């Protein structure tokens, strides 16, 4: 066998030949198989001739056409089966190796990348999507991919309503986001109005009781209101609604919580002042991409206080870990400082995981927002409020309410 033919065989095995060259070399190999089969048969005939009487000599000088076709067909199928087994074996090897590397990449460490990514995604959603919560599940897939997914849920009245599906796919830490709303009307069109820049962070006048304002003051205040009040009036009394409410002054977190302590409604998300938003051509202090935090914090893995821990080994490398603990307790109408600290902590987490922040909260300037909050403190200018429609209508008579926009509406699910 010539060196040139040996090299061509090597190139064939390495997959370096063109399609035409592959066909040509396969033809050559088929010929070799036919020659080898012919030689083997001739040798067998010679042995049988030597061992048999002279009259039993084979009178056939060559192979019949039928036998030749059978030999050629057998050679082709052997080559095909060999190539197929090679491809399958290679694919299985790559699949197993990539699965092991993927599991190690996302699952190793305490906390693991899986836990860190989940915290970053949940934080990005909570600060950029008013009244939207996603409980994330994760699934490691082959070829260096991981999927995190969950239902998007809003609180409307006392009920948590599923409004869509949220999915984040990772390829070695590079995220891509897919949001699938059940109803396009459920997709957020949250608009808030920031108070005039001359307004300073201040509490409500302690001598002012919104419920005891004079009728003249109420009338003048109501006439200046803007928003969906007329739409709210037309909703049936036996319904609950989600409302995006803007204020005409800034509140601290504790001050705002106190305003709802004696009202038959619930504030579920707070809009935080991060300065005028004129990056996208907005004007008149309109905030179409608010930054804020939910009334009940979306805790991170390191906020959990572990009270019990048990680890059980399974197999050579596996183990089962069971643990118990609790997150910080929150006063429904207090603990403003704790809520503020967790909000700032979430912004810092998104600074660290900027790729996730860019995909999950693309319209939020995390660096600028964090700098502004650190310089000016946490000041609230709006909130998402939910409750009975007739109760939400009472906000029209409150002096510090500037605007109201109606979101989701549901049948009665409130408890008096």
């Amino acid at each position: 066998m010539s060196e040139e033919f040996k090299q061509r065989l090597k190139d064939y095995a390495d997959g370096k030949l063109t399609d035409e060259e592959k066909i040509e070399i396969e033809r050559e190999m088929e010929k070799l198989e036919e020659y080898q089969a012919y030689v083997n048969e001739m040798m067998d005939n010679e042995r049988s001739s030597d061992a048999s009487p002279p009259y039993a000599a084979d009178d056939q000088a060559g192979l019949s056409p039928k036998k030749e076709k059978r030999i050629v067909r057998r050679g082709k199928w052997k080559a095909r089966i060999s190539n197929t087994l090679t491809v399958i074996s290679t694919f299985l090897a790559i699949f197993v190796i990539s699965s092991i590397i993927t599991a190690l990449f996302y699952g190793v460490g305490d906390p693991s990348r899986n836990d860190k990514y989940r915290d970053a995604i949940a934080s990005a959603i909570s600060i950029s999507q008013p009244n939207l919560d996603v409980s994330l599940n994760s699934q490691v897939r082959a070829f260096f991919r991981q999927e995190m997914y969950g239902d998007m849920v809003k609180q409307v009245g006392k009920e948590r309503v599923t409004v869509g599906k949220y999915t984040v796919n990772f390829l070695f830490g590079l995220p891509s986001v897919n949001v699938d709303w059940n109803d396009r009307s459920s997709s957020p069109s949250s608009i808030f109005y920031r108070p005039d820049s001359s307004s300073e962070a201040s509490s409500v006048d302690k001598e002012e009781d919104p419920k005891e304002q004079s009728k003249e003051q109420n009338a003048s205040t109501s006439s200046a209101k803007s928003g969906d009040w007329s739409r709210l009036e037309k909703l049936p009394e036996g319904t609950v609604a989600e409302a995006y409410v803007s204020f005409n002054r800034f509140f601290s977190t504790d001050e705002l919580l106190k305003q709802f302590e004696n009202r038959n409604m619930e504030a579920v998300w707070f809009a935080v002042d991060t300065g005028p938003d004129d990056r996208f051509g907005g004007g008149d202090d309109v905030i179409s991409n608010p930054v804020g935090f939910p009334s009940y914090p979306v805790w991170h893995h390191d906020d959990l206080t572990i009270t019990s821990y048990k680890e059980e080994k399974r197999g050579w490398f596996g183990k089962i870990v069971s643990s118990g603990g609790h997150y910080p307790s929150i006063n429904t109408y207090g603990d403003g400082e704790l809520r503020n600290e967790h909000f700032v902590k979430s912004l810092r987490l998104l600074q660290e995981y900027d790729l996730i922040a860019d995909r999950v909260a693309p319209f939020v300037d995390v660096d600028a927002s964090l700098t502004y909050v650190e310089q000016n403190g946490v000041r609230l200018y709006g909130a998402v409020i939910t409750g009975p429609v007739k109760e939400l209508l009472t906000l029209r008579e409150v002096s510090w309410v500037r605007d109201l926009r109606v979101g989701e509406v549901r049948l009665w699910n409130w408890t008096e």
Side-chain angles (χ1 to χ4, degrees):
M1 185 181 296
S2 66
E3 292 298 326
E4 179 184 357
F5 189 73
K6 289 181 181 180
Q7 182 61 41
R8 289 175 65 194
L9 286 176
K10 185 176 183 304
D11 292 340
Y12 176 81
D14 294 339
K16 296 181 180 180
L17 299 181
T18 64
D19 292 340
E20 294 181 355
E21 291 174 333
K22 286 181 180 179
I23 293 173
E24 183 180 349
I25 196 69
E26 287 173 356
R27 288 175 179 169
E28 293 293 334
M29 288 190 291
E30 289 174 1
K31 290 180 181 180
L32 289 175
E33 290 180 355
E34 293 174 16
Y35 296 155
Q36 183 63 43
Y38 178 74
V39 170
N40 291 339
E41 187 167 349
M42 289 296 294
M43 292 178 66
D44 291 340
N45 290 338
E46 288 180 2
R47 293 193 190 97
S48 60
S49 298
D50 293 340
S52 61
Y55 57 82
D58 189 0
D59 58 348
Q60 184 177 4
L63 295 175
S64 67
K66 185 176 181 180
K67 188 171 289 188
E68 288 180 354
K69 289 181 180 180
R70 191 185 309 128
I71 294 171
V72 171
R73 187 163 53 248
R74 188 187 304 127
K76 286 183 178 180
W77 277 108
K78 286 174 62 178
R80 290 170 182 168
I81 293 173
S82 176
N83 292 338
T84 302
L85 291 176
T86 301
V87 171
I88 292 175
S89 301
T90 303
F91 176 81
L92 290 176
I94 294 175
F95 180 85
V96 171
I97 293 172
S98 70
S99 298
I100 294 173
I101 295 175
T102 302
L104 292 174
F105 181 81
Y106 291 107
V108 170
D110 186 20
S112 64
R113 280 190 177 89
N114 181 69
D115 294 332
K116 294 177 181 177
Y117 289 169
R118 182 186 288 109
D119 285 349
I121 294 170
S123 295
I125 293 173
S126 69
I127 72 168
S128 64
Q129 301 289 348
N131 190 26
L132 192 68
D133 179 42
V134 181
S135 296
L136 292 167
N137 301 304
S138 61
Q139 183 174 2
V140 175
R141 300 185 179 276
F143 306 113
F144 322 114
R145 296 178 299 122
Q146 178 177 254
E147 181 182 60
M148 289 192 177
Y149 57 93
D151 291 334
M152 296 187 294
V153 178
K154 282 188 173 187
Q155 182 174 340
V156 185
K158 292 295 185 181
E159 188 179 69
R160 290 172 63 80
V161 179
T162 300
V163 295
K165 299 283 187 181
Y166 200 95
T167 307
V168 182
N169 291 296
F170 287 93
L171 177 62
F172 256 145
L174 299 176
S176 63
V177 176
N178 180 52
V179 181
D180 183 17
W181 297 96
N182 293 343
D183 182 355
R184 290 308 304 173
S185 62
S186 299
S187 60
S189 57
S190 51
I191 295 178
F192 289 97
Y193 291 90
R194 182 177 180 272
D196 296 335
S197 57
S198 58
S199 300
E200 298 295 334
S202 60
S203 63
V204 177
D205 189 346
K206 294 182 180 180
E207 297 179 358
E208 179 187 29
D209 185 353
K211 295 183 178 180
E212 298 178 359
Q213 292 177 345
S214 65
K215 292 183 179 179
E216 294 79 10
Q217 184 178 4
N218 284 343
S220 62
T221 301
S222 299
S223 63
K225 302 290 183 182
S226 63
D228 291 345
W229 300 105
S230 61
R231 179 185 172 193
L232 201 61
E233 286 178 338
K234 295 175 182 178
L235 292 174
E237 183 176 337
T239 55
V240 293
E242 168 199 44
Y244 297 79
V245 181
S246 301
F247 312 138
N248 56 21
R249 67 179 71 183
F250 295 110
F251 288 87
S252 70
T253 304
D254 283 321
E255 289 169 344
L256 185 58
L257 288 169
K258 292 298 180 183
Q259 299 306 310
F260 295 96
E261 188 170 5
N262 298 316
R263 295 182 180 276
N264 192 23
M265 60 187 73
E266 184 178 352
V268 294
W269 193 87
F270 305 115
V272 178
D273 177 35
T274 56
D277 187 3
D278 55 0
R279 290 172 297 144
F280 306 103
D284 300 327
D285 291 318
V286 176
I287 307 296
S288 57
N289 297 290
V291 175
F293 58 89
S295 59
Y296 190 81
V298 176
W299 300 115
H300 305 152
H301 67 274
D302 56 353
D303 294 316
L304 179 66
T305 301
I306 302 295
T307 56
S308 63
Y309 183 88
K310 183 179 179 181
E311 184 175 309
E312 181 181 351
K313 290 187 176 181
R314 287 291 178 89
W316 289 354
F317 304 105
K319 63 179 179 179
I320 297 177
V321 176
S322 58
S323 62
H326 61 83
Y327 291 105
S329 60
I330 291 287
N331 187 337
T332 304
Y333 298 105
D335 289 323
E337 191 61 31
L338 177 59
R339 299 172 196 258
N340 296 345
E341 289 175 357
H342 189 270
F343 169 65
V344 173
K345 179 183 176 182
S346 296
L347 288 176
R348 288 174 178 158
L349 178 66
L350 295 183
Q351 267 191 325
E352 181 180 355
Y353 294 95
D354 54 337
L355 286 177
I356 292 176
D358 288 343
R359 300 297 192 279
V360 179
F363 300 108
V364 175
D365 189 334
V366 176
D367 293 334
S369 298
L370 180 59
T371 300
Y372 188 92
V373 169
E374 288 177 337
Q375 292 176 352
N376 299 278
V378 176
R379 309 191 302 173
L380 310 181
Y381 65 87
V384 178
I385 301 168
T386 187
V389 168
K390 66 177 182 178
E391 297 294 336
L392 294 175
L393 279 169
T394 64
L395 294 175
R396 183 165 50 182
E397 310 303 328
V398 177
S399 62
W400 42 268
V401 172
R402 172 180 176 180
D403 182 88
L404 178 144
R405 305 284 168 171
V406 177
E408 292 282 331
V409 179
R410 290 291 187 277
L411 293 175
W412 184 266
N413 59 33
W414 198 259
T415 54
E416 297 288 354

